[in-house]
Amino acid sequence: MTLGRTRSVAVTGIDGTLVAVEADVASGLPAFTVSGLPDTACAQSPDRVRAAASNCGLALPRQRITVNLSPASLPKQGAGFDLAIAVAVLAAGGTVPTDVVADVVHLGELGLDGTVRPVHGVLPAVLAAVDAGARIVVVPLENAAEAALVEEVDVVPVRRLDELVARYVAIARGAAVSDPEPPVSTSGPSGAAPDLADVAGQPEARFALEVAAAGGHHIAMTGPPGAGKTMIAERLPGLLPALSRAEALQVTAIHSVLGALPDAVLVDRPPFVSPHHGASMAAIIGGGSGRVRPGAVSRACCGVLFLDEAPEFRRDVLDALRQPLESGRVSIARADRNVSYPARFQLVLAANPCPCGRAYGKGTGCVCSPRMRRAYLARLSGPLLDRVDLQLTVHPVTKAALRAGPGESSAAVAERVALARARQERRWAGHPWRLNSHVPGPVLRSGAWRLDRRTTDQLDRALERGGLTLRGYDRVLRIAWSLADLADLDRPGSAQLMQALCLRSQTAEAA
């Protein structure tokens, strides 16, 4: 037999494509070439395969070996094709039975000593293999627990190339085979989430955080240093319900592509991502000079993206958030491909009122000029803030607030948030959205969901005076529906509309 076939998966973003790995052995001078748009790491696979096979006591054909990765027009990235290439070549040389490996998907990098090393992106690769009809996937031992998160496939963990070859030979002879046990992974993330009871005072900010959690709304906080903006933001994930199975697999797939799953734990809690204000465009949105990697907006998918000291971020980085805030996805274009990542997150912005941070109250301690104050907050552009639902001022904590004792715990608030979200799921059942913040504005302004004119009178006036854009009008409606859900009302009334309008209106810090 001079032709061997097996399968692998090429991952682009978090989407995978099944790849047919074909190996042909022909007469001629010894050579080993790989075609099908391999990148540098993939094109170096022949050197690793030769050394691994030699150190495992496996003989490769001393002829011309040609490996094709089909579809050839799809770029192949990384060393994860090593195992599939080695198996296909051994099948072409007659060492491995061709009919046994033809429909098996192989993922893994080969060490020069024949060990099969773990690779990134195993979970999305296995999901793509299952969607394409594959039922057996061979993965490195360290990736076995991650691959086992997909229930519709038989996962075969492997430590070394020679062990895998011996397994295939035994299967061809009808002998029983046993697979190595994967390493035991932890059952969940370690550490307890920060409790909202630790926040002293700040009743307005606590209530705004509850509304944001109930409806999935974005929130911006402006206040002096030490007022508790960071503490409040860090407690938002603790108010959110656990992720659904589909959401957990999506979030885990993103972490898998980044190689951020050392214990192969299913990420079933909303992630909290807080990048430094010096982060680049690629770090926040995604990208890179070689392989396109997900950025902070994708790592925060189904969770919270917190930008502390938001005006210190680059202006172009902040404005790049506009598109994912609206669409829930981020697309990164390259000359040869377009990579798309999910980016449905809750944005939390925190900012000081001025560079020195003292422009609150009467602002007597502020040393910044009026021009400096305006320029500082102007870094948060109007179009970006227009996409942020809740905008509030966080005032310094008073002595009375410290003496009042702790407020409600995260568990108590999370119960109300869960009830409000359950009402939203029942209301929007049969629609492509589940949260009030995701409902298109035209839906809330028409049909059965349209509020009567007496209820929206103040809101209509704000729109007429130019105090609200149409986007802002729709976001106030969404907030009002979330307030109604927290109050266990069927529809929002005038009180909820006015409260929503106040939660969106940011007060001035200092004269």
Side-chain angles (χ1 to χ4, degrees), residues 255-445:
H255 286 71
S256 174
V257 169
L258 289 168
L261 289 176
D263 297 321
V265 178
L266 180 68
V267 182
D268 59 357
R269 292 296 307 171
F272 180 81
V273 180
S274 179
H276 187 265
H277 57 257
S280 64
M281 178 77 76
I284 300 296
I285 304 301
S289 58
R291 174 178 295 188
V292 177
R293 293 168 56 85
V297 295
S298 298
R299 288 189 285 119
C301 185
C302 300
V304 178
L305 176 64
F306 175 46
L307 301 186
D308 199 7
E309 306 293 345
E312 300 294 342
F313 283 80
R314 283 170 32 191
R315 177 70 178 266
D316 60 331
V317 173
L318 291 173
D319 287 340
L321 295 173
R322 300 184 200 174
Q323 185 259 340
L325 283 175
E326 290 291 334
S327 64
R329 296 194 69 85
V330 59
S331 296
I332 304 167
R334 291 291 183 267
D336 57 344
R337 62 194 182 279
N338 192 304
V339 181
S340 179
Y341 286 107
R344 179 70 70 181
F345 58 90
Q346 278 187 256
L347 177 64
V348 180
L349 300 174
N352 293 325
C354 67
C356 77
R358 300 173 185 171
Y360 60 91
K362 293 183 178 180
T364 55
C366 180
V367 297
C368 304
S369 66
R371 181 177 180 180
M372 291 172 62
R373 297 180 195 176
R374 288 195 301 268
Y376 184 72
L377 289 179
R379 299 178 188 176
L380 301 176
S381 65
L384 174 62
L385 289 177
D386 199 34
R387 290 167 166 83
V388 179
D389 303 18
L390 305 171
Q391 302 176 23
L392 68 147
T393 298
V394 180
H395 299 282
V397 180
T398 62
K399 182 172 65 175
L402 287 177
R403 292 180 176 178
E408 282 188 297
S409 65
S410 292
V413 178
E415 289 183 7
R416 295 197 297 269
V417 169
L419 292 175
R421 290 203 170 202
R423 292 180 63 88
Q424 294 171 57
E425 289 192 11
R426 290 193 298 268
R427 179 188 305 125
W428 307 120
H431 296 84
W433 49 81
R434 290 178 9 186
L435 297 177
N436 293 329
S437 60
H438 300 164
V439 182
V443 174
L444 297 178
R445 289 185 272 107

Side-chain angles (χ1 to χ4, degrees), residues 103-131:
D103 295 326
V104 180
V105 174
H106 294 85
L107 304 169
E109 176 185 346
L110 285 177
L112 299 185
D113 59 350
T115 57
V116 182
R117 296 175 177 172
V119 293
H120 297 169
V122 166
L123 179 58
V126 175
L127 288 170
V130 171
D131 291 341

